[in-house]
Each structure stands twice: as C-alpha cells, then as structure tokens.
Amino acid sequence: MNLFDLRISIVWFFLSFVILPFAGFIFRSIQLQKKERRIKDLEEEMVTSHAEILALQAQLAIRKDDSIRTMAIEGSRQFAKNASKGKLKVSTM
C-alpha cells in the first residue's frame, strides 16, 4: 500500500525552499533601496529650497543696512551651495 508515495524532485524542493525566498528577499531589498534613494533626493531638494527661501527673506529683511546685508547674503549663498552639493547632514529616519 503506497499511501505516502510522494515524488518530489530535489530540484523543485531546492527551488521552492531556497531559491524563491532568496529571490523575494533580493526583490524587496531593491525596492527599499529605491525608496530610500528617492527620500534622500527629496530631503536634499527641500533643504535647497529652504536655503533659497531663507536667502530671499534675508535680502528683504536686511535692506536698510548695506554692510550687514552683504554679509548675510554671502552666508546664505554659501549655505545654499553646501546644501546643493549635499555637504549638509540630512537626518535619516
């Protein structure tokens, strides 16, 4: 009586329990890397935008005193350059 006559090829066993989970892990890792890269790009873009906004606000706020105005604009310009080059530390979640 062949009640438990199961024929499973070693190839199918290896494929289903080793290769497929590994392939799923690789696929999910790639998805997460793309998501993290996109988040980093958006954070850098926001830092650059905020630096530009701060520079414009500084130009508007310090229009009366020319000596202070030029120093503030140069500092904001340097901040914007560092932000666009990615030299600023961006927090990670």
Side-chain angles (χ1 to χ4, degrees), residues 3 8 14 17 19 26 38 43 47 51 56-57 60-61 66 68-70 77 79 82-84 89 91 93:
L3 197 64
I8 297 177
F14 186 73
F17 286 104
I19 302 287
I26 297 287
R38 178 70 174 144
E43 284 180 347
V47 167
L56 291 173
Q57 286 180 347
L60 291 174
D66 288 335
I68 297 174
R69 181 174 158 242
T70 56
R77 186 174 298 136
F79 181 77
N82 288 340
S84 66
K89 178 151 176 93
S91 66
M93 292 182 186

Side-chain angles (χ1 to χ4, degrees), residues 54-69:
L54 289 174
L56 291 173
Q57 286 180 347
Q59 288 176 1
L60 291 174
I62 310 174
R63 198 162 274 252
K64 296 175 185 170
D65 191 4
D66 288 335
S67 64
I68 297 174
R69 181 174 158 242

